[in-house]
């Protein structure tokens, strides 16, 4: 049993569509095989980019895609990936299995891919092994709308018009694979690099590297130095944390306790958001800098038989529950979280899409992104949930997990509500009360549910799909029964 109150007159903030962002890295089969097959491939493609993947992604509506890494970004030199493809250098991908990177997929190909799927590109600069000049020139190559040598190169590469890239990351995980900096040293580097991320007439969005997980010390030390030494520094718009969750077991083989454990670990994102935003508020009381989580998701042992550094994993209903509950957290904190990028779009970690040669499937996580898309650009409204909880076993004892979570957003007279029931076997009856004089005129819902290990395979790509959920709702309060292990999306027309 759970009691939910939603107040459609109590606005949190507009849900930035970028909360539904993705991340694609030169890692395993994400780019090569997943997106890029080349013009001469027998797999149907447009300019080398898979048609099936583009069509599937368009339905999931990714608003922004981060690229080229990840750890790969701080060893990537953008000039390797422009100009005639046959002349591009081959480099060793030092982070991801030392495979040879052909650079066939570079800036032009990535931006084209983004435009095909309807997303904004988010480029991550190289702070760890690159130079300020390199990043400054990458921005000019992409965005300068005049007669410079770099703009001319861009035109010769196929884009006379600027690529108009707004989002620029100043390094990735610079506490680790991006150069092993201390927060203070990274702060100095950030300021130097960000100074040269110029808009050429366009307002850019510069993103600083935030903590590993909820490492508050990184945040405090970074902002303390930024504010003390560079108190007037303005070229910072976002601050990006990374958070991954996993359990023992594998992506598809887990116990009921591990089902609960993973969902509970995913829910720790709430603590990260609450504590990180509080730490940021101390240095940025006017809240000009947005909190971003530009890598997050589930991280399981790789699928047996696949290369260990390719991070290829299957994706079940358990991952879908983590995706849904995490997106609900971001929606509820829409006044601070301005972007989030699930890792990663295709064939890596908590993927939306898996491919194998010419086959493709949308994972339960991808299906959640499709179901949640109506939240994008809606106004998050205050929602409180009082739910029963479940005790589950972990290695050194017991923990408990609140069974129902969710969020709500308003667009005109349409109230969109998403809810999860984490109970592995039992329905949960939910009582929903609308405050502020709101009343439901018409309701419809769809649900993603099944046995807790369900997933799609290349043999059965539609084994798990959302289906409509019968519900009747009118007036200011109503009941709905959430099936076990489920994600529900409800559209309520208000009178
Ligand atoms: O997403 C995989 C890797 O995880 C990224 O390259 C890195 O930033 C993080 O540690």
């Amino acid at each position: 049993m759970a009691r939910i109150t939603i107040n459609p007159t109590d606005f949190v903030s507009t849900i930035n569509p970028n909360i539904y962002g993705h991340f694609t890295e030169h890692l395993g089969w994400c780019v090569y095989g997943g997106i890029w097959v080349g013009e001469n491939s027998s797999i149907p493609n447009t300019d080398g980019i898979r048609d099936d993947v583009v069509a599937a992604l368009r339905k999931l509506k990714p608003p922004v895609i981060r690229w080229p890494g990840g750890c790969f970004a701080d060893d990537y030199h953008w000039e390797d990936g422009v100009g005639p493809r046959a002349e591009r250098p081959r480099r060793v991908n030092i982070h991801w299995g030392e495979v040879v990177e052909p650079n066939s997929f570079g800036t032009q190909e990535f931006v084209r891919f983004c435009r095909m799927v309807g997303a904004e590109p988010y480029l991550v600069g190289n702070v760890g092994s690159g130079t300020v000049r390199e990043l400054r020139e990458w921005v000019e190559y992409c965005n300068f709308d005049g007669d410079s040598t770099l703009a001319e190169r861009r035109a010769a590469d196929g884009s006379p018009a600027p690529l108009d890239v707004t989002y620029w990351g100043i390094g990735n995980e610079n506490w680790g694979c991006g150069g092993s900096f201390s927060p203070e040293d990274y702060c100095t580097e950030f300021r130097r690099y960000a100074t040269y991320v110029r808009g050429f007439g366009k307002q850019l969005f510069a993103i600083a590297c935030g903590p590993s997980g909820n490492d508050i010390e990184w945040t405090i030390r970074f902002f303390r130095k930024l504010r003390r030494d560079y108190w007037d520094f303005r070229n910072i718009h976002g601050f990006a944390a990374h958070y991954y969750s996993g359990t023992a077991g594998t992506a598809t083989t887990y116990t009921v306790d591990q089902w609960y454990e993973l969902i509970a670990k995913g829910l720790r994102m709430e603590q990260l958001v609450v504590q990180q935003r509080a730490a940021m508020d101390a240095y940025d009381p006017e809240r000009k800098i947005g909190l971003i989580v530009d890598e997050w998701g589930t991280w399981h042992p790789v699928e047996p038989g696949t290369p260990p550094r390719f991070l290829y994993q299957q994706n079940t209903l358990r991952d879908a529950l983590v995706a849904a509950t995490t997106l609900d957290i971001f929606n509820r904190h829409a006044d601070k979280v301005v972007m989030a990028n699930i890792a990663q779009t295709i064939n890596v970690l908590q993927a939306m899409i898996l491919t194998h040669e010419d086959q493709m499937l949308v994972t339960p996580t991808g299906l959640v992104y499709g179901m949640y898309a109506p939240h994008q650009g809606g106004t998050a409204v205050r929602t409180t949930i009082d739910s029963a909880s479940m005790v589950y076993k972990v290695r050194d004892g017991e923990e408990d997990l609140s069974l129902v979570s969710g969020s709500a957003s308003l667009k005109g007279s349409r109230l969109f509500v998403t809810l999860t029931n984490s109970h592995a076997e039992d329905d949960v009856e939910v009582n929903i009360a609308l405050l502020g004089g709101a009343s439901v005129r018409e309701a419809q819902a769809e649900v993603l549910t099944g046995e807790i290990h369900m997933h799609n395979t290349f043999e059965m790509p539609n084994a798990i799909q959302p289906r409509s959920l019968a519900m009747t709702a009118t007036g200011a309060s109503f009941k709905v029964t959430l099936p076990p292990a489920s994600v529900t999306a409800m559209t309520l027309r208000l009178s």
Side-chain angles (χ1 to χ4, degrees):
M1 173 75 178
R3 258 186 304 272
I4 300 182
T5 55
I6 303 172
N7 188 342
T9 62
D10 188 355
F11 302 157
V12 178
S13 188
T14 301
I15 296 176
N16 194 318
N18 289 342
I19 283 175
Y20 290 79
H22 291 196
F23 167 40
T24 57
E25 180 167 13
H26 287 240
L27 193 177
W29 298 301
C30 183
V31 168
Y32 298 108
I35 300 171
W36 179 258
V37 287
E39 290 102 331
N40 300 325
S41 171
S42 59
I43 298 173
N45 68 86
T46 302
D47 300 333
I49 294 169
R50 288 182 79 122
D51 291 340
D52 55 352
V53 166
V54 168
L57 280 175
R58 286 185 71 81
K59 291 193 192 138
L60 309 187
K61 300 190 170 35
V64 64
I65 305 180
R66 178 175 185 254
W67 175 85
C71 295
F72 181 81
D74 284 273
D75 195 40
Y76 181 65
H77 302 278
W78 70 271
E79 285 189 282
D80 289 350
V82 296
R85 244 173 255 126
E87 291 167 24
R88 296 186 192 171
R90 284 170 290 115
R91 308 277 187 212
V92 179
N93 186 334
I94 57 169
H95 293 289
W96 305 116
E98 300 193 353
V99 297
V100 173
E101 163 61 51
N103 281 302
S104 319
F105 190 85
T107 305
Q108 296 278 350
E109 291 80 11
F110 173 66
V111 174
R112 196 171 311 132
F113 166 65
C114 287
R115 303 299 178 216
M116 284 175 176
V117 301
E120 285 297 316
Y122 164 11
L123 301 186
V124 182
N126 179 347
V127 171
S129 70
T131 62
V132 173
R133 177 177 175 173
E134 244 182 294
L135 181 56
R136 177 239 171 277
E137 292 189 347
W138 200 9
V139 179
E140 182 180 327
Y141 173 89
C142 290
N143 287 356
F144 186 60
D145 192 12
D147 182 22
S148 77
T149 301
L150 284 164
E152 215 171 77
R153 265 177 85 182
R154 181 191 67 232
D157 290 342
S159 299
L163 298 173
D164 270 342
V165 179
T166 301
Y167 301 101
W168 292 88
I170 314 297
N172 167 76
E173 297 195 350
N174 301 92
W175 34 262
C177 66
S180 306
F181 291 97
S182 69
E184 291 80 10
D185 289 347
Y186 171 69
C187 181
T188 304
E189 291 300 308
F190 170 79
R191 181 180 179 245
R192 201 160 70 96
Y193 275 75
T195 300
Y196 295 94
V197 173
R198 299 295 184 94
F200 301 112
K202 181 181 169 69
Q203 176 61 55
L204 302 189
F205 193 97
I207 299 167
C209 163
S212 167
N214 187 16
D215 177 3
I216 287 289
E217 195 186 332
W218 173 276
T219 305
I220 291 174
R221 286 171 57 186
F222 172 83
F223 279 108
R224 190 191 291 144
K225 180 164 176 78
L226 190 75
R227 283 298 172 237
R228 188 190 58 210
D229 296 357
Y230 318 121
W231 63 272
D232 60 343
F233 190 70
R234 291 279 175 265
N235 203 17
I236 173 168
H237 307 99
F239 180 71
H242 289 178
Y243 176 66
Y244 288 100
S245 47
T247 62
T250 72
T252 51
T253 318
Y254 42 84
T255 63
V256 173
D257 286 318
Q258 287 164 347
W259 158 274
Y260 292 119
E261 186 188 350
L262 187 71
I263 296 168
K265 282 187 174 167
L267 284 169
R268 290 184 198 156
M269 183 70 86
E270 176 113 41
Q271 194 182 5
L272 181 155
V273 170
V274 168
Q275 295 184 350
Q276 291 293 326
R277 62 181 292 176
M280 289 170 73
D281 280 355
Y283 299 94
D284 173 34
E286 290 171 44
R287 297 187 176 166
K288 290 193 170 150
I289 304 167
L291 178 60
I292 290 175
V293 186
D294 64 10
E295 284 186 32
W296 68 272
T298 57
W299 192 316
H300 305 300
V302 297
E303 186 79 355
T306 62
R309 299 297 287 166
F310 277 25
L311 310 186
Y312 179 88
Q313 64 190 41
Q314 246 296 359
N315 189 297
T316 72
L317 187 56
R318 184 173 65 148
D319 301 284
L321 266 283
V322 173
T325 50
T326 304
L327 292 170
D328 284 324
I329 292 168
F330 295 148
N331 289 341
R332 295 197 302 267
H333 289 276
D335 55 335
K336 187 64 183 176
V337 180
V338 297
M339 189 195 289
N341 308 73
I342 190 168
Q344 300 191 3
T345 305
I346 305 162
N347 293 334
V348 170
L349 299 176
Q350 191 175 355
M352 258 44 52
I353 288 175
L354 299 178
T355 64
H356 176 64
E357 296 171 353
D358 63 345
Q359 295 173 295
M360 187 211 76
L361 63 83
V362 178
T363 67
T365 296
L367 297 171
V368 165
Y369 270 70
M371 291 170 73
Y372 273 53
H375 275 308
Q376 294 186 21
T379 302
V381 295
R382 203 78 55 194
T383 303
T384 60
I385 300 181
D386 178 12
S387 154
S389 49
M390 177 80 204
V391 175
Y392 63 94
K393 288 195 183 61
V394 286
R395 199 165 31 160
D396 39 6
E398 288 184 336
E399 298 201 347
D400 65 275
L401 166 70
S402 184
L403 286 173
V404 175
S405 93
S407 66
S409 66
L410 192 67
K411 261 188 201 163
S413 62
R414 188 212 68 187
L415 183 65
F416 185 63
V417 182
T418 46
L419 296 172
T420 55
N421 170 14
S422 297
H423 201 292
E425 283 143 16
D426 294 349
D427 286 347
V428 173
E429 192 182 62
V430 172
N431 243 310
I432 301 183
L434 302 184
L435 307 181
S439 172
V440 180
R441 178 162 53 81
E442 198 186 296
Q444 62 188 51
E446 59 174 350
V447 66
L448 185 73
T449 184
E451 192 280 326
I452 63 168
H453 300 92
M454 277 193 83
H455 56 281
N456 292 330
T457 62
F458 295 112
E459 294 70 40
M460 292 183 65
N462 297 316
I464 176 164
Q465 288 294 316
R467 61 170 169 79
S468 68
L469 177 73
M471 67 175 286
T472 43
T474 48
S477 73
F478 59 93
K479 286 192 172 96
V480 58
T481 300
L482 304 179
S486 65
V487 179
T488 298
M490 259 181 250
T491 305
L492 308 174
R493 300 274 162 205
L494 304 182
S495 48

